[in-house]
Amino acid sequence: MKGKVFIYMGAALAGAAAAFFLSGIFYITTVTGAGMEPELRDGTTVIINKTAYMDSSPEIGDIAAFKNRVYGENGESGILVRRVAAGPGDSVEIKDNIFYLNGKPYDKYMNEAVHMEDMDKVNLDESSVFLLNDNRKALLDSRDEAVGVLKVKDLLGKVCFK
Protein backbone atom coordinates (compact mmCIF):
# COMPACT_ATOMS: atom_id res chain seq x y z
CA MET A 1 0.00 0.00 0.00
CA LYS A 2 2.82 2.44 0.92
CA GLY A 3 4.49 1.74 -2.42
CA LYS A 4 1.41 2.78 -4.38
CA VAL A 5 1.09 6.00 -2.36
CA PHE A 6 4.71 6.89 -3.14
CA ILE A 7 4.19 6.09 -6.84
CA TYR A 8 1.05 8.26 -6.99
CA MET A 9 2.73 11.10 -5.11
CA GLY A 10 5.78 10.86 -7.37
CA ALA A 11 3.58 10.93 -10.48
CA ALA A 12 1.64 13.93 -9.13
CA LEU A 13 4.85 15.82 -8.36
CA ALA A 14 6.31 14.97 -11.77
CA GLY A 15 3.10 16.16 -13.43
CA ALA A 16 3.10 19.41 -11.46
CA ALA A 17 6.78 20.00 -12.29
CA ALA A 18 6.12 19.34 -16.00
CA ALA A 19 3.14 21.70 -15.99
CA PHE A 20 5.20 24.41 -14.28
CA PHE A 21 8.05 23.95 -16.79
CA LEU A 22 5.73 23.94 -19.81
CA SER A 23 3.84 27.03 -18.62
CA GLY A 24 7.10 28.93 -19.03
CA ILE A 25 7.27 27.87 -22.68
CA PHE A 26 3.63 27.63 -23.78
CA TYR A 27 0.54 29.71 -23.14
CA ILE A 28 -2.99 28.53 -23.92
CA THR A 29 -5.72 31.01 -24.84
CA THR A 30 -9.04 31.12 -26.65
CA VAL A 31 -9.61 33.30 -29.69
CA THR A 32 -12.44 35.79 -29.30
CA GLY A 33 -13.95 37.71 -32.18
CA ALA A 34 -13.86 37.34 -35.94
CA GLY A 35 -10.58 39.13 -36.69
CA MET A 36 -8.67 36.05 -37.78
CA GLU A 37 -11.46 34.22 -39.63
CA PRO A 38 -11.45 31.89 -41.47
CA GLU A 39 -8.09 30.61 -40.10
CA LEU A 40 -9.04 31.02 -36.43
CA ARG A 41 -12.71 31.21 -35.56
CA ASP A 42 -14.25 32.68 -32.42
CA GLY A 43 -13.82 30.13 -29.63
CA THR A 44 -10.80 28.35 -31.12
CA THR A 45 -8.25 27.36 -28.48
CA VAL A 46 -4.63 28.04 -29.49
CA ILE A 47 -1.25 27.26 -27.97
CA ILE A 48 1.32 30.05 -28.08
CA ASN A 49 5.02 29.23 -28.07
CA LYS A 50 6.52 31.97 -25.88
CA THR A 51 10.08 31.14 -26.94
CA ALA A 52 9.53 31.38 -30.71
CA TYR A 53 10.87 34.92 -31.09
CA MET A 54 13.55 34.93 -28.42
CA ASP A 55 16.39 34.46 -30.91
CA SER A 56 14.69 35.18 -34.23
CA SER A 57 12.28 37.57 -35.87
CA PRO A 58 8.78 36.61 -36.92
CA GLU A 59 8.30 35.52 -40.50
CA ILE A 60 5.63 36.98 -42.75
CA GLY A 61 2.62 34.73 -42.42
CA ASP A 62 3.22 33.77 -38.78
CA ILE A 63 0.32 34.23 -36.42
CA ALA A 64 1.73 36.13 -33.46
CA ALA A 65 0.22 36.92 -30.07
CA PHE A 66 0.57 40.17 -28.15
CA LYS A 67 -0.92 41.83 -25.11
CA ASN A 68 -3.75 44.15 -26.02
CA ARG A 69 -3.88 47.25 -23.87
CA VAL A 70 -7.09 48.62 -25.36
CA TYR A 71 -10.66 47.45 -25.29
CA GLY A 72 -11.46 45.10 -28.17
CA GLU A 73 -14.43 43.56 -29.90
CA ASN A 74 -15.78 42.08 -26.67
CA GLY A 75 -15.06 45.09 -24.52
CA GLU A 76 -12.09 43.64 -22.62
CA SER A 77 -8.38 43.87 -23.09
CA GLY A 78 -6.37 40.67 -23.27
CA ILE A 79 -4.27 38.62 -25.66
CA LEU A 80 -4.71 39.25 -29.39
CA VAL A 81 -3.50 37.03 -32.21
CA ARG A 82 -2.79 38.59 -35.59
CA ARG A 83 -0.96 37.69 -38.80
CA VAL A 84 2.54 39.08 -39.35
CA ALA A 85 2.16 41.07 -42.60
CA ALA A 86 5.57 42.78 -42.54
CA GLY A 87 8.74 42.24 -40.60
CA PRO A 88 11.89 44.11 -39.65
CA GLY A 89 13.18 46.33 -42.47
CA ASP A 90 10.02 46.06 -44.60
CA SER A 91 7.84 48.91 -45.81
CA VAL A 92 4.04 48.93 -45.81
CA GLU A 93 1.38 51.14 -47.33
CA ILE A 94 -2.36 51.01 -47.99
CA LYS A 95 -3.59 52.77 -51.09
CA ASP A 96 -6.92 52.36 -52.90
CA ASN A 97 -7.92 49.41 -50.66
CA ILE A 98 -4.72 47.52 -51.46
CA PHE A 99 -2.08 46.59 -48.90
CA TYR A 100 1.44 47.01 -50.27
CA LEU A 101 4.41 45.15 -48.83
CA ASN A 102 7.74 46.54 -50.05
CA GLY A 103 5.94 48.28 -52.93
CA LYS A 104 4.09 45.19 -54.19
CA PRO A 105 0.42 44.31 -53.61
CA TYR A 106 0.06 41.69 -50.89
CA ASP A 107 -3.24 39.92 -50.32
CA LYS A 108 -2.09 36.54 -49.05
CA TYR A 109 -4.18 35.28 -46.11
CA MET A 110 -6.78 38.00 -46.71
CA ASN A 111 -10.28 36.67 -46.11
CA GLU A 112 -11.96 38.96 -48.66
CA ALA A 113 -11.37 42.31 -50.33
CA VAL A 114 -12.75 45.13 -48.19
CA HIS A 115 -12.51 48.88 -47.91
CA MET A 116 -9.36 49.92 -46.07
CA GLU A 117 -8.45 53.47 -45.16
CA ASP A 118 -5.40 54.75 -47.00
CA MET A 119 -2.21 54.69 -44.94
CA ASP A 120 0.99 56.51 -45.81
CA LYS A 121 4.09 54.44 -46.39
CA VAL A 122 5.69 53.23 -43.16
CA ASN A 123 9.25 51.91 -43.06
CA LEU A 124 9.72 49.41 -40.25
CA ASP A 125 12.96 49.49 -38.30
CA GLU A 126 14.98 46.36 -37.59
CA SER A 127 12.99 45.53 -34.46
CA SER A 128 9.40 46.11 -35.62
CA VAL A 129 6.52 44.17 -37.16
CA PHE A 130 3.22 45.10 -38.77
CA LEU A 131 0.28 42.83 -37.93
CA LEU A 132 -3.01 42.45 -39.81
CA ASN A 133 -6.24 40.56 -39.32
CA ASP A 134 -7.04 37.91 -41.92
CA ASN A 135 -10.55 39.37 -41.81
CA ARG A 136 -9.67 42.93 -42.85
CA LYS A 137 -13.13 44.18 -41.76
CA ALA A 138 -11.92 43.87 -38.16
CA LEU A 139 -9.72 46.85 -37.36
CA LEU A 140 -7.85 46.06 -34.16
CA ASP A 141 -4.46 45.46 -35.79
CA SER A 142 -1.47 47.60 -36.80
CA ARG A 143 -3.71 49.81 -38.99
CA ASP A 144 -5.32 51.07 -35.79
CA GLU A 145 -3.40 53.69 -33.78
CA ALA A 146 -4.36 51.83 -30.60
CA VAL A 147 -2.19 48.88 -31.72
CA GLY A 148 0.16 50.40 -34.29
CA VAL A 149 3.50 48.99 -35.31
CA LEU A 150 4.80 46.63 -32.64
CA LYS A 151 8.29 45.80 -31.48
CA VAL A 152 9.30 42.15 -31.76
CA LYS A 153 10.07 42.19 -28.03
CA ASP A 154 6.41 43.07 -27.36
CA LEU A 155 5.16 39.86 -28.99
CA LEU A 156 4.22 37.14 -26.53
CA GLY A 157 4.99 34.41 -29.04
CA LYS A 158 3.86 32.45 -32.05
CA VAL A 159 0.63 30.50 -32.36
CA CYS A 160 1.90 26.98 -32.95
CA PHE A 161 -1.19 24.78 -32.47
CA LYS A 162 -4.90 25.30 -32.88
Side-chain angles (χ1 to χ4, degrees):
M1 180 69 172
K2 272 187 173 179
K4 285 185 180 181
V5 170
F6 284 119
I7 289 172
Y8 290 136
M9 287 184 67
L13 287 173
F20 180 74
F21 174 74
L22 290 175
S23 69
I25 298 172
F26 297 104
Y27 181 81
I28 299 172
T29 190
T30 302
V31 174
T32 56
M36 288 301 293
E37 286 187 355
E39 180 78 17
L40 300 174
R41 300 201 179 278
D42 187 30
T44 302
T45 299
V46 295
I47 298 175
I48 299 163
N49 179 349
K50 295 194 281 186
T51 64
Y53 303 131
M54 289 179 87
D55 296 328
S56 64
S57 292
E59 294 183 22
I60 294 173
D62 283 358
I63 299 177
F66 63 99
K67 188 124 177 109
N68 173 28
R69 292 172 182 30
V70 297
Y71 291 97
E73 298 164 353
N74 292 341
E76 338 179 320
S77 61
I79 306 297
L80 289 180
V81 293
R82 299 294 185 249
R83 180 87 58 187
V84 176
D90 289 333
S91 67
V92 296
E93 179 179 22
I94 299 174
K95 189 168 46 177
D96 300 324
N97 299 319
I98 298 172
F99 177 79
Y100 290 89
L101 173 61
N102 298 323
K104 296 179 182 162
Y106 184 82
D107 62 2
K108 195 169 182 183
Y109 306 109
M110 190 167 79
N111 185 16
E112 63 180 281
V114 297
H115 171 74
M116 293 186 286
E117 294 292 323
D118 284 354
M119 183 184 84
D120 292 336
K121 185 176 184 177
V122 175
N123 294 309
L124 302 177
D125 63 31
E126 292 303 317
S127 63
S128 297
V129 291
F130 192 92
L131 306 176
L132 282 177
N133 293 302
D134 285 359
N135 176 1
R136 303 287 199 271
K137 290 178 189 174
L139 293 177
L140 200 53
D141 58 22
S142 289
R143 296 173 291 167
D144 188 324
E145 289 178 11
V147 174
V149 173
L150 292 161
K151 298 290 185 189
V152 173
K153 68 179 175 92
D154 293 331
L155 299 178
L156 297 177
K158 176 182 178 180
V159 172
C160 57
F161 298 106
K162 57 180 178 163

